[in-house]
Each structure stands twice: as C-alpha cells, then as structure tokens.
C-alpha cells in the first residue's frame, strides 16, 4: 500500500511552520501552522482555468465555480452557506486563467467544518440541470455587468489583443455565446476530468495542526479524487504557441465621460529568474504615488486620476501593461507621456534612490499582506500549484534585496522596447489612434 509522504518545508521567522504531504492518490496538502492566530483559512486550488478550455467550452471553469456551491448529496446551497456563516466564517471562490480557488475562513476551532464543507463541494456537487439553467442566467448578467464597466473590460481587451489566438487571450467568464451553449453534460465531464487528485492542492494557514489537517483532508477527499492508477493527469496543452509579438491598436467606441487606455507588451514567464527584478521595475514605473508614471501624468501634468502599471506571469509568457483613466480630450497626451516614461527608463534605466524605493514597496507589500491567514493561504497555494515548491518569506526578501541597478536596466531595455499593444475605450472612432 502506498504511504503518504510528509516533510517540513520551512520554519519561517516571519511566519509559521510550513509542511507538505502528498497523499497516495496524488493530492497535495500544505499547511502553515501559526499558533498565535485564532483563525484559519482553508483553500482548495485546482490547476484548471480559462486557458485550459476548448474554444467551444470557453467559460466552463468559471461556470463550474458557480455550480459547485449549488448543492451536494449531503447539503443544499443554503446548507453550504449557512453552516459556515453560523460560526462567523465566510466562503468564496474565484477563477483565473490558470487555476480556480475555493476557500473558507473560520475560527481555528471550526477548521474541521471548513474542510468538510469544501471537500463535499469539490467532490460531490450535484450539478443539477435546474441549477445549470439558474446559474447560466446569473453568469450572463455577470458578463453584461463587466462589459458595462470599461475600467474592467479594458484589461480583458488588452489580454485578448496581446495574446491573439493563444488560450490566454480568452475571457475567464467566457462569452455570452459560449455560456449560452454550454450543456450540463459538458460541464459535468469537465468537472470529472479536471477535478482530480494530481491537479489539486489543499492549503490551510493559521492555528492548524498539519497532521490533523492531513487526516481531515484524506477522509474528506478520499471518495472521488483519486486518479486511476495514481497517474498524474496531463491536463494542459503544453504545445500552445505564444503568437509572435506585434504592434496593434484596438479602439472600442463608447459614449462615456472617461477614456480608458492600456499600453503594454509581452512580459516574463512565471519561472523566469528575473521576475524579482521585474517586480521592482514595475514598482518604480507605476507602483504607487511616487512612481514615474504617476508623477509625470497625474502630479505634474494633472491629466489623469488613476494611472498605474501592472504585470502577470503565466506558464510560458507574461504581460506588462500601463493603465490610465482620463478625460477623452486628454487621452492622446496621456499616451504620449506614458510612452516618454517607458522610453526614458528603457534608455537610461533607473537611479539608486528609485531602486531602494522600489524594493521597499515590494518588500513592505509582501510582509504587510501576510498579516491575515487568507493571504498566507494564497501564497502557499500559488507556490505549490504554480511552482511546485515554497520560498520562505526570508528567501523572497533576500531575492528582492539582491536586485541590482544593472539588472533592472537590462530588463527595462529588453521588455520596454518590445512591440506594444494599445487598447482604448471611450468616445472615439476606430481611426482616432491610427499611427499613434
């Protein structure tokens, strides 16, 4: 009989003891035990997101996220929410391009309930035809609401333009057309194929015992998440080719009071060792009120209320974008200033004061963000699911501290000169940004 494999990963001075067990069926359990806390967050991470769907199934991961809370063989939808809320806890879920996360935050004494509810939801959802139809309407309303918010929609438009025919280009929620056509049997098959042991990680952070958590997970998930013969599922198309970079302009005409712009390019893949330097570069460019973009566009020129840069890393590529929201008459000048800042940093790099400030922003954000169990759970879940390991907080801080001016300058010269994609939403014609 195959036995579970357990090891302690870190005993972090800035956190707790992180331990990892792989159960016989391939399910991974990671905990961070912090006895000083009186709460805990339990999360189940599934390595399936919008990029893993066939084009005709676009939106299936997000649809499934909704449906799993609608009832199981043991609990109704009301039972699922009421049992957690009765102990002052909360439960929720979200879907991303490469994973889906389900979680519950409770008092430490209620961890057994949280694990039991999540295990029930993840392994025994009914997916009744009636619930499928009810949630279909809810999701279509959600898509419509998102499209009515150009500040949200512009980022989806940017990703679609940047990634082209690659699965990363697809909207997480799908389209009204694909959601309207998804059938219950298709969603159920997707559920059974994807929600398997080797593709899932259970994480608990807070005042938890690793051994007790493993025992609860083993019991709760044993019924239906063991892969046949324990063979890891090959679930992602590793042959998906990222389209070559190319410059493009996408304009969505809207009768709106504000223009929304995203200017960006391909970034770094998730496992690129330069990712810490790239984070520092992003903070310097558009990470706060002292950033170059904020100072130039808002503080000096007064042309926008909101301006920032952001990045995202995926398995084989990434993205970098600069967002600004401004009055339509200021859009071209804002775009011009953003390009000036990117060109300056690409050509000249950054100075020592900016480097220190950028490092401080990243380090402070990391440590301050770990003051609740939910953030700790998320860090562990992403580390295990996306990287297959855990870096201690100390190690991450060390890597950020080790970033040099030359590393940032080299990255800026490489990334910020790549062909750029521009997406614009506002009261414009298609030709208003031609040649910009």
């Amino acid at each position: 009989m195959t036995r579970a494999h357990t090891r302690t990963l870190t005993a972090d001075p800035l956190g707790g003891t992180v331990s990892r067990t792989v159960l016989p069926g391939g399910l991974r359990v990671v905990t961070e035990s912090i006895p000083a806390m009186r709460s805990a967050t339990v999360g189940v991470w599934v390595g399936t997101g919008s990029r893993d769907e066939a084009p005709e199934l676009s939106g299936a991961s997000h649809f499934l996220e909704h449906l799993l809370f609608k009832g199981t063989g043991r609990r109704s939808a009301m039972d699922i929410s009421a049992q957690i809320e009765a102990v002052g806890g909360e439960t929720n879920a979200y879907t991303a391009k490469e994973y889906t996360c389900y979680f519950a935050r409770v008092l430490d004494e209620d961890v057994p309930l949280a694990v039991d509810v999540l295990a029930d939801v993840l392994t025994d959802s009914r997916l009744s035809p009636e619930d499928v139809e009810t949630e279909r309407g809810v999701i279509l309303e959600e898509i419509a609401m998102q499209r009515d918010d150009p500040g949200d929609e512009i980022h989806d438009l940017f990703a679609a333009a940047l990634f082209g025919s690659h699965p990363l280009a697809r909207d997480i929620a799908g389209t009204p057309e694909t959601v309207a056509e998804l059938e219950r049997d298709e969603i159920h098959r997707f559920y059974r194929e994807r929600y398997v042991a080797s593709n899932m990680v259970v994480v608990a952070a807070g005042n938890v015992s690793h051994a007790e958590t493993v025992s609860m997970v083993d019991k709760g998930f044993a019924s239906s998440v063991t892969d046949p013969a324990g063979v890891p599922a090959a679930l992602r198309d590793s042959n998906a080719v990222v389209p070559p970079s190319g410059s493009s302009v996408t304009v969505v005409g809207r009768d709106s009071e504000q223009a929304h712009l995203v200017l960006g390019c391909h970034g770094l893949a998730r496992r690129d060792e330069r990712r810490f330097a790239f984070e520092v570069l992003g903070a310097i460019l558009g990470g706060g009120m002292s950033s170059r973009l904020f100072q130039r566009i808002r503080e000096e020129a007064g042309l926008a209320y909101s301006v920032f840069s952001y990045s995202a890393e995926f398995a084989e590529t990434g993205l970098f974008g600069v967002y600004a929201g401004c009055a339509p008459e200021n859009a071209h000048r804002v775009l011009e200033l953003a390009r000036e800042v990117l060109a300056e940093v690409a050509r000249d790099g950054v100075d020592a004061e900016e480097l220190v400030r950028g490092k401080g922003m990243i380090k402070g954000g990391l440590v301050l963000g770990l003051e609740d169990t939910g953030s700790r759970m998320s860090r562990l879940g992403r580390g295990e699911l996306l990287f297959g390991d855990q870096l201690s907080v100390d190690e991450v801080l060390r890597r950020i501290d080790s970033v040099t001016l030359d590393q940032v300058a080299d990255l800026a010269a490489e990334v910020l000169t790549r062909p750029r994609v521009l997406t614009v939403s506002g009261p414009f014609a298609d030709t208003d940004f031609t040649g910009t």
Side-chain angles (χ1 to χ4, degrees), residues 78-403:
M78 179 64 178
D79 292 335
I80 292 168
S81 58
Q83 289 180 12
I84 295 294
E85 291 176 0
V87 296
E90 57 178 334
T91 186
N92 212 330
Y94 59 92
T95 307
K97 289 186 181 291
E98 295 189 313
Y99 57 82
T100 309
C101 177
Y102 303 80
F103 63 91
R105 184 168 184 256
V106 294
L107 297 178
D108 51 7
E109 64 194 52
D110 298 312
V111 167
L113 172 65
V115 172
D116 186 59
V117 169
L118 289 174
D120 193 23
V121 165
L122 269 290
T123 65
D124 193 33
S125 179
R126 292 184 298 127
L127 303 187
S128 74
E130 296 80 12
D131 290 336
V132 169
E133 293 310 312
T134 299
E135 287 307 301
R136 191 191 310 277
V138 171
I139 293 167
L140 289 172
E141 289 296 327
E142 183 180 350
I143 293 173
M145 182 176 66
Q146 183 179 7
R147 293 187 175 186
D148 278 346
D149 185 346
D152 279 345
E153 184 190 33
I154 195 69
H155 299 290
D156 291 332
L157 295 172
F158 172 67
L162 183 68
F163 293 128
S165 60
H166 192 277
L168 287 169
R170 299 177 195 143
D171 286 352
I172 291 171
T175 68
E177 294 75 21
T178 59
V179 170
E181 294 297 323
L182 279 171
E183 297 181 357
R184 188 268 178 191
D185 288 347
E186 291 177 312
I187 300 170
H188 184 266
R189 184 164 55 251
F190 189 85
Y191 173 42
R192 288 307 178 193
E193 289 176 351
R194 303 281 172 162
Y195 282 57
V196 293
S198 63
N199 201 37
M200 297 170 69
V201 177
V202 181
V203 183
N207 187 19
V208 296
S209 158
H210 182 72
E212 291 175 1
T213 302
V214 170
S215 178
M216 288 184 282
V217 170
D218 192 21
K219 177 182 177 182
F221 284 81
S223 61
S224 55
V225 292
T226 301
D227 299 341
V231 178
L235 298 174
R236 179 160 293 161
D237 180 7
S238 60
N239 297 315
V241 177
V242 181
S245 298
S247 299
S248 68
V249 177
T250 301
V251 178
V252 177
R254 282 179 172 273
D255 184 16
S256 59
E257 297 294 322
Q258 190 174 45
H260 300 269
L261 306 92
V262 176
L263 176 70
C265 59
H266 284 284
L268 301 185
R270 184 164 56 240
R271 291 184 177 274
D272 194 312
E273 288 299 319
R274 301 172 297 170
R275 65 186 183 275
F276 298 100
F278 197 53
E279 283 190 65
V280 174
L281 173 60
I284 293 168
L285 281 169
M289 296 176 65
S290 62
S291 67
R292 288 246 191 146
L293 287 162
F294 193 94
Q295 286 293 310
R296 185 73 58 85
I297 294 172
R298 174 170 164 165
E299 295 299 287
E300 295 174 14
L303 293 175
Y305 178 77
S306 178
V307 55
F308 57 85
S309 66
Y310 65 100
S311 62
E313 294 75 42
F314 306 106
E316 65 273 69
T317 187
L319 63 80
F320 171 78
V322 174
Y323 166 84
C326 61
E329 61 268 24
N330 294 331
H332 284 86
R333 180 57 179 157
V334 167
L335 183 59
E336 180 183 2
L337 291 175
R339 286 179 166 143
E340 283 182 7
V341 170
L342 297 181
E344 290 169 3
V345 175
R347 182 183 65 245
D348 303 325
V350 301
D351 61 41
E353 182 180 341
E354 287 178 311
L355 181 68
V356 171
R357 187 165 62 242
K359 289 181 181 180
M361 289 176 64
I362 300 299
K363 293 193 298 181
L366 168 65
V367 175
L368 292 174
L370 295 177
E371 292 191 345
D372 68 87
T373 59
S375 297
R376 290 180 177 274
M377 182 278 295
S378 294
R379 190 177 86 90
L380 293 174
R382 282 193 297 267
E384 180 62 39
L385 190 69
L386 303 180
F387 291 92
D389 60 14
Q390 300 291 338
L391 293 180
S392 70
V393 176
D394 270 352
E395 175 61 17
V396 174
L397 295 177
R398 186 193 68 76
R399 294 197 186 191
I400 295 169
D401 273 329
S402 69
V403 172

Side-chain angles (χ1 to χ4, degrees), residues 395-416:
E395 175 61 17
V396 174
L397 295 177
R398 186 193 68 76
R399 294 197 186 191
I400 295 169
D401 273 329
S402 69
V403 172
T404 67
L405 279 170
D406 285 344
Q407 289 172 336
V408 173
D410 289 346
L411 261 179
E414 176 186 336
V415 176
L416 301 185

Side-chain angles (χ1 to χ4, degrees), residues 44-58:
V44 183
W45 294 71
V46 185
T48 293
S50 57
R51 67 161 297 166
D52 303 302
E53 303 156 352
E56 65 273 15
L57 296 180
S58 180

